[in-house]
């Protein structure tokens, strides 16, 4: 018999052990991530009494794929538009927490006498709270409907994004023996360049591709295409010096703006779970009990650093971003743990060979301990606030809460600030697109043109053709760079308000005009030997012609409209299908009142009842504003509206009211059937004898359905198929009927 490859044996061992361990952890209501880590420890070489993984190199490869798919799924849940709509508050909070915890982690590592790279990576690991663990803890504690949990999740999203950037930065730092500010600035600019380029080009190309092939897509093809795009971007990311995980995240964020995003998330979920499980198992395989014993004191101190640091610094970050003291402490205490991104950063350090082997198991141990303590930290937030409220003077409490109420994050920006920010953003985006187009033309098109026109004399033809083609390609970008926002409402208002505004406004146009000339100048300088004066003149003439050209104007407008359409396609689809949250959600006057989405369970006792029967307002104090049912949206339902299983109820109420409502809807369920095995339906043949009580009775009067809970499916009449039995059929002696029912019901009827 053919011997199985070691990879198959290892995979079978990992999945079997992980399956058993995660069932135990599910029973204990603990995060499954910890179960995977324990499973990895069981199959690791550090556990001599169990079977061990044979080929750890292959498992490491599968784990790398797991990281890639984890970040791809994270990108699918991420939206640049959501980040922009959050305002400054979550950004202020995230930056405060991340940099404070990084500094605390680096100081802790320095205190232990660890080397420089260990301290830097340790700081990155301690700065990243776990989205998975916090989300699970909120779910288990029934807090997901409360307002502060939404604030925490917003900050966690930004932390995950910052972790991606941090991984790229750490890779750049690790590649240099003595990284300086210039190298870090170069890395940041490189990240920004490719991030903007890939996102803008992706929003142009990917939604258009999916739209044109939508009639050919089913679940299978959409899954393959999505994973193909993910892996393709991962390869491209590694080619330009980033990690494959960074590329996977970017492709996920691009697909997140498409109509197909929700379907892709559902399709990719099993793939992510499989490879993610292998990654976390590989994390557990690196846990060495000897290392944990030797580093017991650093582990305890790091746990205290996270608990105290997040409780104090995290609460401070939320406080200065405009939250009340109570809300800030609830948020800060909730984030006192580390998780999956800490493992990913540790894996990066090991793969680069810049951190010690001891650091990985130490971080895993810290994560396990802080994860177990997370529910207790969340519960301790309100009592801690109550104690602090008694200790602090009332004047201080009022000042802090007044700061939250009057936070400047919601104030309206000035016209100048809005206009300059929009102009700078457009100039940056179109400059990156123009630079990328020039680089591609000079890298790929120019060598081909020179091969077609060999020789010194014909060499100029190749350069001229390349130059003209490049200018035509970037001309819509150059025109948009110079002309966009020159007719905006802000520009017109500033122009009319004062004559003193007109010279600065003209100056903004001239600056963008000079930048556009610079691109044409660079093309001429690369392809020709003209004098600088002549190249500058050519640049001015080309840019003027680009501005005056109606064809280029229409082309630029079409490209911009296509981009906006692709960017809003998911939002438009949500509005059409009734999935978009109501706009008035952000305008509720009472700070304790908000909207929550609550799903009706499939086995709810409420299904089939009307809203007037259920009396939600009288029992819980909540108002039902809408009910989402499939693709249908029922706004302002009346008392006769029936509740169906799977309905998504949009309810308005306070934290306590919504929590009580959510607890009731998930608690009032049909009990599970303990005798489910006895519910099997069976088919039996039955002969009507002379003593049968059914002789002479019709099917309707026989009681076979109503009394015995069985059903006659046919009668034998000597044909190849059974004949249908009508309700008026009268049974006779020696009739052969076929009956369907449960085993106990059939036995009762036959006897």
């Amino acid at each position: 018999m053919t011997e199985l490859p070691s990879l198959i044996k290892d995979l079978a061992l990992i999945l079997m052990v992980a399956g058993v361990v995660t069932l135990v952890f599910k029973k204990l209501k603990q995060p499954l991530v910890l179960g995977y880590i324990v499973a990895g420890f069981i199959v690791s070489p550090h556990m001599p009494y169990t079977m061990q993984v044979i080929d750890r190199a292959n498992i490491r490869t599968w784990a790398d794929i797991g990281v890639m798919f984890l970040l791809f799924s994270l990108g699918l849940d991420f939206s640049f538009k959501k980040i922009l709509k959050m305002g400054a508050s979550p950004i202020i909070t995230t930056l405060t927490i991340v940099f404070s915890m990084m500094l605390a982690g680096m100081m802790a590592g320095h205190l232990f006498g660890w080397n420089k790279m260990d301290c830097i990576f340790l700081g990155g690991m301690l700065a990243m709270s776990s989205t998975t663990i916090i989300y699970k803890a909120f779910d288990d504690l029934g807090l997901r409907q409360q307002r502060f949990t939404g604030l925490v999740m917003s900050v966690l999203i930004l932390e995950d994004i910052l972790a991606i950037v941090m991984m790229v930065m750490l890779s750049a730092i690790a590649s240099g023996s003595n990284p300086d500010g210039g190298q870090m600035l170069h890395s940041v600019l490189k990240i920004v360049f490719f991030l903007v380029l890939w996102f803008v080009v992706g929003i142009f190309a990917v939604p258009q591709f999916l739209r044109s092939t939508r009639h050919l897509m089913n679940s299978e093809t959409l899954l393959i295409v999505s994973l193909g795009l993910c892996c393709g971007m991962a390869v491209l990311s590694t080619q330009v010096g980033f990690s494959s995980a960074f590329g996977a995240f970017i492709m996920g964020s691009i697909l997140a703006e498409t109509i197909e995003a929700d379907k892709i998330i559902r399709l990719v979920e099993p793939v992510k779970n499989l490879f993610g499980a292998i990654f976390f198992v590989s994390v557990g395989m690196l846990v060495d009990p000897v290392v944990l014993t030797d580093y017991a004191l650093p582990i305890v101190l790091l746990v205290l650093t996270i608990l105290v640091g997040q409780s104090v610094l995290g609460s401070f970050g939320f406080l200065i971003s405009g939250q009340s003291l109570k809300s800030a402490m609830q948020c800060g205490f909730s984030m006192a743990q580390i998780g999956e991104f800490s493992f990913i950063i540790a894996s990066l350090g090991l793969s680069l060979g810049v951190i010690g082997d001891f650091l990985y198991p130490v971080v895993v141990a810290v994560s396990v301990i802080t994860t177990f303590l997370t529910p207790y930290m969340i519960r301790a937030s309100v009592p801690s606030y109550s104690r602090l409220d008694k200790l602090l003077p009332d004047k201080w409490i009022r000042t802090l809460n007044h700061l939250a109420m009057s936070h400047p994050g919601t104030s309206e920006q000035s016209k100048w600030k809005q206009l300059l920010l929009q102009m700078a953003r457009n100039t940056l985006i179109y400059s990156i697109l123009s630079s990328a187009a020039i680089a591609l033309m000079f890298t790929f098109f120019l060598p081909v043109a020179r091969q077609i026109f060999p020789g010194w004399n014909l060499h100029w033809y190749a350069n001229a053709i390349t130059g003209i083609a490049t200018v035509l390609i970037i001309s819509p970008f150059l025109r948009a760079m110079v002309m966009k926002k020159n007719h905006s409402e802000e520009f017109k208002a500033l122009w009319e308000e004062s004559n003193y505004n007109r010279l600065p406004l003209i100056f903004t146009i001239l600056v963008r005009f000079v930048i556009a000339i610079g691109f044409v100048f660079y093309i001429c300088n690369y392809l020709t030997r003209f004098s600088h004066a002549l190249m500058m003149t050519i640049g001015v003439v080309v840019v003027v012609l680009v501005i005056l050209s109606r064809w280029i104007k229409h082309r630029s407008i079409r490209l911009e409209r296509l981009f906006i359409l692709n960017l809003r396609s998911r939002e438009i689809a949500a509005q059409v299908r009734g999935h978009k949250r109501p706009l008035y959600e952000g305008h509720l006057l009472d700070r304790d009142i908000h909207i929550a989405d609550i799903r009706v369970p499939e086995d709810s006792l409420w299904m089939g009842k009307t809203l007037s029967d259920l009396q939600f307002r009288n029992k819980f104090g909540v108002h039902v504003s809408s009910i989402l049912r499939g693709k249908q949206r029922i706004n302002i339902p009346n008392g006769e509206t029936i509740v169906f299983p799977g309905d998504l109820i949009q309810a308005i109420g306070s934290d306590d009211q919504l929590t009580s409502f959510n607890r009731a809807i998930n608690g009032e369920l049909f009990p599970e059937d303990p005798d489910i095995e006895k519910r099997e339906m069976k088919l039996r043949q039955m002969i009507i004898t002379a003593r049968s009580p059914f002789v002479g009775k019709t099917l309707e009067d026989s009681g076979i359905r109503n009394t015995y809970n069985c059903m006659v499916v046919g009668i034998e009449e000597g044909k190849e198929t059974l004949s249908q039995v009508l309700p008026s059929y009268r049974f006779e002696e020696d009739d052969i009927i076929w009956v369907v029912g449960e085993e106990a019901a059939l036995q009762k009827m036959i006897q």
Side-chain angles (χ1 to χ4, degrees), residues 112-169:
F112 302 144
W114 297 346
N115 64 47
K116 182 178 179 181
M117 294 307 299
D118 286 336
C119 293
I120 293 175
F121 274 81
L122 177 64
M125 297 174 206
L126 298 193
M128 296 294 113
S129 298
S130 171
T131 305
T132 304
I133 294 170
I134 294 176
Y135 186 87
K136 181 68 168 58
F138 285 159
D139 197 30
D140 291 342
L141 296 174
L143 300 174
R144 280 178 51 193
Q145 307 301 329
Q146 296 201 12
R147 181 175 176 272
F148 83 92
T149 61
L151 301 172
V152 174
M153 297 309 296
S154 299
V155 172
L156 289 173
I157 291 173
L158 290 174
E159 275 195 359
D160 292 343
I161 306 311
L162 202 57
I164 303 293
V165 179
M166 187 186 299
M167 290 170 59
V168 179
M169 294 294 298

Side-chain angles (χ1 to χ4, degrees), residues 211 560-570 572:
R211 189 180 297 117
E560 183 177 350
R561 287 177 178 174
L562 176 61
F563 178 81
I564 294 174
L565 176 64
N566 291 342
L567 189 62
R568 295 187 62 242
S569 59
R570 187 179 184 184
I572 294 172

Side-chain angles (χ1 to χ4, degrees), residues 128-265:
M128 296 294 113
S129 298
S130 171
T131 305
T132 304
I133 294 170
I134 294 176
Y135 186 87
K136 181 68 168 58
F138 285 159
D139 197 30
D140 291 342
L141 296 174
L143 300 174
R144 280 178 51 193
Q145 307 301 329
Q146 296 201 12
R147 181 175 176 272
F148 83 92
T149 61
L151 301 172
V152 174
M153 297 309 296
S154 299
V155 172
L156 289 173
I157 291 173
L158 290 174
E159 275 195 359
D160 292 343
I161 306 311
L162 202 57
I164 303 293
V165 179
M166 187 186 299
M167 290 170 59
V168 179
M169 294 294 298
L170 290 174
S171 299
I173 293 173
S175 63
S177 56
N178 188 21
D180 54 15
Q183 182 182 359
M184 295 183 66
L185 179 61
H186 176 266
S187 300
V188 171
L189 293 177
K190 185 178 179 182
I191 293 170
V192 172
F193 178 85
F194 281 103
L195 189 64
V196 174
L197 175 64
W198 287 339
F199 183 73
V200 173
V201 174
I203 291 297
F204 267 114
V206 174
Q208 192 69 19
F209 166 72
L210 293 178
R211 189 180 297 117
S212 61
T213 58
R214 191 170 293 156
H215 64 288
L216 301 174
M217 290 286 186
N218 57 19
S219 297
E220 181 179 359
T221 54
L222 183 60
L223 173 63
I224 299 302
V225 168
S226 302
L227 295 182
L229 291 172
C230 168
C231 295
M233 182 58 82
V235 172
L236 179 60
S237 177
T238 57
Q239 294 298 314
V240 298
F242 298 139
S243 66
S244 59
F246 181 71
F249 170 79
I250 294 299
M251 181 50 66
S253 64
I254 292 171
L255 290 172
E257 306 297 344
T258 64
I259 294 177
E260 292 80 3
D262 294 327
K263 189 174 182 180
I264 293 173
I265 291 173

Side-chain angles (χ1 to χ4, degrees), residues 239-300:
Q239 294 298 314
V240 298
F242 298 139
S243 66
S244 59
F246 181 71
F249 170 79
I250 294 299
M251 181 50 66
S253 64
I254 292 171
L255 290 172
E257 306 297 344
T258 64
I259 294 177
E260 292 80 3
D262 294 327
K263 189 174 182 180
I264 293 173
I265 291 173
R266 292 194 299 271
L267 293 174
V268 172
E269 185 76 12
V271 180
K272 180 204 73 172
N273 291 339
L274 171 62
F275 287 98
I278 296 175
F279 165 70
F280 289 116
V281 168
S282 71
V283 169
M285 291 170 60
L286 295 174
V287 176
D288 189 349
V290 176
V291 174
L292 300 184
T293 304
D294 295 339
Y295 289 87
L297 180 60
I299 290 173
V300 173

Side-chain angles (χ1 to χ4, degrees), residues 51-96:
M51 296 180 64
Q52 300 175 7
V53 169
I54 301 172
D55 193 345
R56 280 182 284 173
N58 280 332
I59 299 301
R60 185 71 246 167
T61 302
W62 283 54
D64 292 338
I65 298 175
V67 174
M68 188 172 70
F69 285 146
L70 280 172
L71 293 182
F72 178 61
S73 298
L74 175 64
L76 287 170
D77 288 327
F78 169 77
S79 172
F80 283 98
K81 293 185 294 184
K82 290 181 183 178
I83 298 298
L84 295 176
K85 291 178 181 178
M86 286 178 184
S89 295
I91 298 175
I92 294 172
T93 304
T94 304
L95 293 177
T96 302

Side-chain angles (χ1 to χ4, degrees), residues 539-559:
V540 173
V541 172
V542 168
V543 174
V544 170
L545 291 176
V546 165
I547 293 173
L548 297 177
S549 172
R550 288 186 172 274
W551 178 80
I552 294 176
K553 176 182 178 180
H554 294 319
R555 185 182 173 198
S556 176
I557 293 174
R558 284 198 305 270
L559 289 174

